[in-house]
Amino acid sequence: MTIDKDVEVETFLGEIKQRFPEVANRIELNNNRMGYEPDDKMYTAEMETFSQTTTDAIKAGDHDRALNYLKYMSEKLLVASVIEREYIDVYYVESLLWDIKDKKIKQAGWLLIPSNLKQLYIEMWGNPSF
């Protein structure tokens, strides 16, 4: 029996929101700001909000918080289904560090990223230059 894609993604995002209530709050605020309704199923935007929350933690120098997010995603990637892997790769990893202009902060953030997530990043963007 196959699991419905929406159910699988909702479950994954639900795990993230339960584990990280501050991320759930930010997702809700972002969804409200964008005018999304709960039935709109803006899964990709929600995962990108989690990615941006990670990037913002790095920019703020809150490495413990960023590491908690990154470690969770790294461990999840090890057991991820095909759809979960897509969401981690395309909607989480690809946008990590995107708006960090300070090279020292970006390099510090890069050092926090677990190797399996780094590999996904490199496959998309190549090695970052600092």
Side-chain angles (χ1 to χ4, degrees):
M1 179 175 183
T2 60
I3 297 176
D4 179 83
K5 179 180 175 179
D6 283 351
V7 171
E8 191 171 347
V9 174
E10 285 174 8
T11 300
F12 183 22
L13 287 165
E15 290 171 11
I16 292 167
K17 293 173 186 176
Q18 182 176 13
R19 185 175 187 119
F20 306 111
E22 70 282 7
V23 173
N25 291 337
R26 186 161 177 186
I27 287 171
E28 183 178 346
L29 286 171
N30 190 55
N31 285 349
N32 289 338
R33 182 177 58 83
M34 299 300 291
Y36 300 144
E37 298 293 328
D39 292 341
D40 287 341
K41 299 181 179 181
M42 300 305 296
Y43 306 135
T44 59
E46 291 186 9
M47 186 61 77
E48 288 170 346
T49 298
F50 184 31
S51 178
Q52 186 62 48
T53 304
T54 306
T55 297
D56 289 347
I58 292 167
K59 289 191 299 189
D62 191 347
H63 292 175
D64 288 340
R65 187 163 52 108
L67 275 170
N68 283 336
Y69 300 153
L70 291 162
K71 182 178 177 191
Y72 169 78
M73 292 302 269
S74 173
E75 290 172 357
K76 184 69 173 181
L77 183 59
L78 297 175
V79 296
S81 68
V82 171
I83 189 67
E84 289 169 333
R85 181 179 173 82
E86 174 188 341
Y87 271 70
I88 293 168
D89 183 8
V90 178
Y91 307 111
Y92 183 79
V93 172
E94 281 188 16
S95 58
L96 282 173
L97 311 175
W98 78 274
D99 66 346
I100 299 177
K101 306 300 182 217
D102 184 299
K103 290 184 180 209
K104 288 183 182 181
I105 293 172
K106 192 170 189 174
Q107 184 174 26
W110 181 252
L111 294 174
L112 299 175
I113 300 174
S115 61
N116 61 343
L117 299 179
K118 277 183 182 173
Q119 187 58 42
L120 294 176
Y121 186 97
I122 291 167
E123 287 171 11
M124 179 63 191
W125 303 113
N127 279 306
S129 59
F130 303 111

